[in-house]
């Protein structure tokens, strides 16, 4: 079956969805240890969450980029995730979706969340012809993410390193076998209609 151009692929349960982030150890390690983001985590800054494990690996270089050495799997409530989607704006102007650039800019200014669709990645972190969701959270959305929606935080840096080592060794079947399963997230059209170019 052919992949649609944009789709949310995410590890999820009936009540939660898993997203990924990468931080410097002084933020990532206490977050994983305590299950909450530490005081050093700035609630007034935009934070980007990614349901795609391989997109996170592309972004953080398998946990080797400076300031992104600790890779976290953050399990959040589906209720919170969908609140963010309902209150989100596309991160770029899209003719036909927005009345005009001014209307889009106004919407972007007031939206506590923004959506970007970026190419999904393969095991070599090369872009694929279809896109996966990234969700930027600011203001109220960032505070809710940290203080209300987060159910658990797990350090998955060892997994990132293990998958990367298998890819480098050419054992792609074993690497693929370790990847988190990310089936299509059951987001109805009403949730995504304003967010799909």
């Amino acid at each position: 079956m052919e992949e649609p151009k944009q789709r949310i692929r995410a590890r999820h349960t009936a009540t939660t969805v898993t997203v990924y982030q990468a931080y410097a150890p002084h933020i990532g390690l206490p977050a994983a240890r305590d299950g909450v983001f530490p005081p050093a985590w700035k609630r007034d800054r935009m934070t980007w969450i990614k349901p795609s494990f391989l997109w996170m690996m592309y972004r953080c270089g398998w946990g080797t980029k400076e300031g992104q050495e600790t890779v976290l799997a953050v399990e959040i409530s589906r209720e919170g995730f969908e609140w963010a989607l309902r209150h989100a704006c596309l991160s770029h102007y899209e003719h036909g979706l927005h009345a005009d650039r001014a209307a889009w800019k106004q919407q972007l200014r007031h939206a506590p969340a923004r959506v970007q669709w970026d190419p999904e990645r393969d095991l070599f972190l090369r872009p694929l012809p279809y896109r996966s969701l990234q969700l930027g959270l600011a203001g109220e959305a960032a505070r809710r993410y940290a203080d209300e929606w987060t159910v658990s935080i797990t350090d998955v840096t060892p997994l990132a390193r293990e998958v990367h080592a298998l890819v480098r060794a050419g054992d792609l079947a074993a690497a693929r076998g370790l990847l988190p399963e990310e089936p299509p997230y059951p987001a109805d059209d009403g949730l995504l209609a304003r967010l799909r170019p």
Side-chain angles (χ1 to χ4, degrees):
M1 192 172 84
E2 194 175 319
E3 284 281 349
K5 188 179 173 191
Q6 290 110 1
R7 173 180 266 172
I8 301 175
R9 298 165 193 82
R11 190 173 172 197
H12 59 274
T13 69
T15 56
T16 65
V17 57
T18 299
V19 297
Y20 299 94
Q21 295 194 290
Y23 289 104
H26 78 278
I27 290 177
L29 295 177
R33 181 191 66 222
D34 302 331
V36 293
F37 288 101
W41 193 88
K42 303 291 182 212
R43 283 160 175 74
D44 55 352
R45 287 178 55 187
M46 175 160 285
T47 189
W48 286 88
I49 58 176
K50 301 152 184 68
S52 164
F53 179 81
L54 283 175
W55 209 95
M56 185 71 254
M57 295 308 98
Y58 164 72
R59 182 71 182 83
C60 71
W62 299 101
T64 62
K65 289 186 181 175
E66 188 178 349
Q68 300 185 60
E69 301 92 342
T70 308
V71 184
L72 301 177
V74 184
E75 195 179 14
I76 64 173
S77 71
R78 277 175 63 161
E79 190 182 328
F81 183 66
E82 293 183 10
W83 183 95
L85 290 173
R86 278 195 305 277
H87 292 82
C89 174
L90 261 186
S91 64
H92 64 279
Y93 169 71
E94 191 69 37
H95 179 72
L97 194 63
H98 304 109
D100 54 36
R101 269 184 200 281
W104 164 72
K105 280 186 179 168
Q106 170 89 350
Q107 193 182 355
L108 191 66
R109 236 189 327 271
H110 296 289
R114 58 190 59 176
V115 160
Q116 213 163 279
W117 296 98
D118 289 309
E120 183 55 272
R121 302 282 157 169
D122 67 11
L123 278 168
F124 294 102
L125 307 184
R126 298 173 301 206
L128 292 167
Y130 48 89
R131 293 172 177 258
S132 286
L133 176 95
Q134 296 195 57
L135 191 53
L137 308 174
E140 182 184 0
R143 290 190 297 276
R144 285 179 175 231
Y145 170 66
D147 301 326
E148 296 173 26
W149 304 341
T150 298
V151 174
S152 70
I153 302 176
T154 306
D155 183 352
V156 291
T157 314
L159 174 64
R161 290 189 180 134
E162 191 176 356
V163 174
H164 189 206
L166 288 166
V167 172
R168 282 195 316 243
D171 194 345
L172 301 188
R176 205 169 283 112
L178 291 178
L179 293 177
E181 280 188 46
E182 294 170 357
Y185 183 82
D188 61 50
D189 287 342
L191 201 55
L192 297 179
R194 300 168 300 98
L195 303 171
R196 280 194 176 124

